């Protein structure tokens, strides 16, 4: 299976970096072809410019500045997002990636007023993430990252897409043992992909 991993964290020595390395190495060891995208290392520009917005609905030209990223998604069988949750949302670079790459006639199609998914090639989506806050606080606030990582992504993928959301909450108060337990849980889920 071809798995597109999208990683969003600026620090190479972070726990998220360790999770990213774990994702890539576990998938490769399981025999998957991994297309790894490190948004920070690649210098992805997350800003949706005025020109990008003007061209957004013009499907003849809306992909021209992000065509390589579009092709990577369109050639994937599975998608793994690896990122922290900051301020109860995706990191800005990941949100900007979605704003710039999830375009009309790419992530969705609008025909006669009906919306249909664009990434029908993707059969499995997994999010591996960390939260600084405890689970109950995220729950009270509606846990937007979880909803985006499950409901939103499911809406633009294959109708039978499998979705896993693996989150380590209260990251600031974890122990080495709880972080290792989470890594074990992630590796197990990745091997089932």
């Amino acid at each position: 299976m071809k798995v597109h991993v999208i990683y969003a964290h600026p620090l190479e020595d972070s726990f998220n970096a360790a999770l990213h390395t774990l994702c890539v190495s576990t998938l490769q060891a399981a025999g998957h072809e991994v297309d790894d995208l490190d948004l920070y290392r690649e210098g992805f520009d997350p800003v949706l410019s005025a020109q990008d917005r003007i061209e957004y609905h013009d499907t003849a030209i809306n992909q021209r500045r992000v065509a390589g990223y579009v092709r990577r998604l369109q050639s994937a069988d599975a998608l793994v997002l690896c990122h922290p949750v900051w301020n109860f949302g995706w990191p800005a670079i990941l949100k900007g990636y979605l704003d710039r790459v999830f375009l009309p006639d790419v992530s969705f199609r609008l025909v006669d007023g009906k919306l249909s998914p664009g990434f029908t090639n993707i059969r499995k989506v997994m999010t591996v993430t960390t939260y600084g806050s405890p689970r109950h606080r995220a729950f009270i606030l509606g846990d937007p990252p979880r909803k985006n990582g499950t409901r939103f992504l499911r809406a633009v993928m294959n109708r039978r897409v499998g979705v896993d959301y693996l989150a380590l909450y209260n990251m600031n108060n974890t122990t080495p043992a709880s972080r290792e337990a989470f890594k074990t849980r992630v590796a197990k889920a990745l091997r089932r992909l």
Side-chain angles (χ1 to χ4, degrees):
M1 182 182 303
K2 186 171 185 181
V3 183
H4 189 30
V5 175
I6 301 175
Y7 171 61
H9 196 290
L11 301 179
E12 294 180 13
D13 62 348
S14 67
F15 183 65
N16 279 95
L19 291 172
H20 172 238
T21 299
L22 175 69
C23 287
V24 172
S25 63
T26 303
L27 290 166
Q28 288 173 334
H32 298 291
E33 177 185 347
V34 177
D35 175 13
D36 186 26
L37 171 57
D38 181 335
L39 293 171
Y40 281 98
R41 184 167 287 166
E42 188 154 319
F44 181 80
D45 180 3
V47 176
L48 183 71
S49 70
Q51 193 61 39
D52 291 333
R53 185 62 186 129
I54 289 166
E55 296 172 358
Y56 182 82
H57 290 286
D58 187 341
T59 58
I61 61 172
N62 68 355
Q63 298 179 39
R64 66 183 174 175
R65 284 187 286 283
V66 293
Y69 297 104
V70 169
R71 279 192 299 276
R72 292 169 83 171
L73 282 163
Q74 289 174 334
S75 69
D77 302 306
L79 176 65
V80 175
L81 300 178
C82 184
H83 62 84
V85 167
W86 289 334
N87 297 308
F88 294 98
W90 283 325
I93 198 167
L94 179 58
K95 176 65 168 85
Y97 169 88
L98 294 165
D99 289 344
R100 293 196 61 215
V101 179
F102 280 46
L103 298 163
D105 272 2
V106 174
S107 66
F108 66 93
R109 290 173 180 49
L110 189 59
V111 179
D112 297 326
K114 291 189 176 183
L115 203 63
S116 64
F119 292 125
T120 56
N121 54 296
I122 297 177
R123 299 184 316 262
K124 184 72 177 173
V125 175
M126 181 181 293
T127 297
V128 177
T129 190
T130 59
Y131 290 66
S133 69
R135 174 77 173 105
H136 72 274
R137 185 172 296 141
F139 177 79
I140 289 168
L141 294 172
D143 205 347
R146 180 179 288 272
K147 288 178 182 172
N148 283 332
T150 57
R151 297 175 190 178
F152 163 69
L153 290 177
R154 181 177 279 133
V156 298
M157 305 292 170
N158 183 307
R159 297 224 184 263
R160 294 184 180 145
V161 68
V163 176
D164 285 326
Y165 192 86
L166 306 172
L168 179 61
Y169 290 91
N170 208 14
M171 178 66 201
N172 300 331
N173 294 306
T174 59
T175 64
S178 62
R179 288 190 296 275
E180 283 305 311
F182 183 68
K183 286 169 73 175
T184 299
R185 182 174 157 224
V186 168
K188 184 177 178 182
L190 288 163
R191 285 191 292 271
R192 289 192 317 261
L193 194 67

